[in-house]
Amino acid sequence: MNKEKLLLWTLAAINFTHIVDFMILMPLGPQLMRIFEISPREFGLLVSSYTFSAGISSFLGAFILDKYDRRTILLWVFTGFLFGALACALSPNYAILLISRIISGIFGGLTSALVLSIIGDVIPDARRGRAMGLVMAAFSVASVVGVPFGLFIASISNWHAPFFFLAGLSLVILWMIFKYIPTITAHIQKKQFKPSPVQVIRRVTGNANQMRAISLTIMMMLGQFAVIPFLSPYMVANVGFTEIELTYIYIAGGLFTIFTSPWVGKLTDKYGKIKIFSIFMTLNVIPIAVITQLGQTPIPYVLLISTMFFVTSNGRMVPAAALITGTAKSENRGSFLSFNSAVQQLAAGLASFLAGLILAEGINGELVNYDIVGYFAIVLSLLCIPLARRIKVIDVGEPEIILGDPTELVAEKNP
């Protein structure tokens, strides 16, 4: 296995751990609410605390990430993430767990921007779609393996077990970062000066192309995270799923996207980011329209639609991430992507909040107005297509470090 693949597998492992850490708390809700004797509102705070702390840390990270070697700062950030997971595992009560989730979110938010920055710095534009596809397949693996395994060990032990597992896994990944992530400092050498926080903000907000990329991120998150957080409650209350049967949705969707994510990455490199994004974004509105209006429905049919939702949602993210990453040059890529990550986290939290205001509980306990949430998501999703067409990739130069086969780079330059 060459150095480039080892680097990408390391970044995918980082992404996997971060995603499992974010997702695992939601299905543990019934157990935590019973043990800590907390209300749904308090549990909601436990979930959203991670998202909002990740958003804030990503925003602050925009002022510091481009000042240091990517490898060095990733080692520090992931060490903090490891201690956050360990703090969650050792939490004796609700208050301590809440603080621990905030700590995990602070470091988890920074890992996302760093992973994308390293891909942008090291992988040439002609192979960036495939790289994004591989790293984003971590979401699929987290859905099909990470979350179900976490629930399994929690069921045979207690809610602390998944976080001990994450802490142990993070220790292994920390070693992988040390061994397989190279020193990446060309972005520092290219800088003529070190910008102040105000200059960092002005540089992003004053760049029309980057603001279009950030607007795309906001609209995608508002469209998707209005639907996703309430998918499980809707399936139980309206469609007839049991809580155990919910795992089928994550396993089926995750299993398919493990294979489709790298495939979409190859399509992105072959046919272009805008074309593949437009196709998958258009296809994505079909399962959104169906899912948000389901009544009592047989499980196989629901799994068909939910799997299409997973595949198309992931399919639009791969070219979108490659497109957004390419709007910044290496010397300010970390700052821009950290800023973008902050917006992404905060938009996801806002989407959940807005959907919660729209939804209501019926007389029989069913959720009503989910169809209105679906219409909201569809409109925003379709508006993303013309916006994406106005975004230009400006960084198509050579990577800072050639990790792949040099003959591949020659072939890319002279197809």
Side-chain angles (χ1 to χ4, degrees), residues 172-212:
V172 174
I173 295 172
L174 197 61
W175 172 82
M176 292 174 67
I177 295 170
F178 183 81
K179 186 171 179 63
Y180 299 124
I181 303 292
T183 295
I184 304 172
T185 57
H187 60 285
I188 302 173
Q189 296 163 8
K190 290 178 183 177
K191 281 179 175 281
Q192 300 300 313
F193 66 96
K194 291 186 177 181
S196 67
V198 174
Q199 288 171 321
V200 169
I201 295 174
R202 285 179 176 172
R203 185 166 54 190
V204 174
T205 57
N207 186 313
N209 193 46
Q210 290 185 351
M211 287 306 296
R212 285 192 286 269

Side-chain angles (χ1 to χ4, degrees), residues 156-179:
I156 62 174
S157 180
N158 54 52
W159 71 266
H160 300 272
F163 293 104
F164 277 118
F165 167 73
L166 278 174
L169 183 61
S170 297
L171 195 61
V172 174
I173 295 172
L174 197 61
W175 172 82
M176 292 174 67
I177 295 170
F178 183 81
K179 186 171 179 63

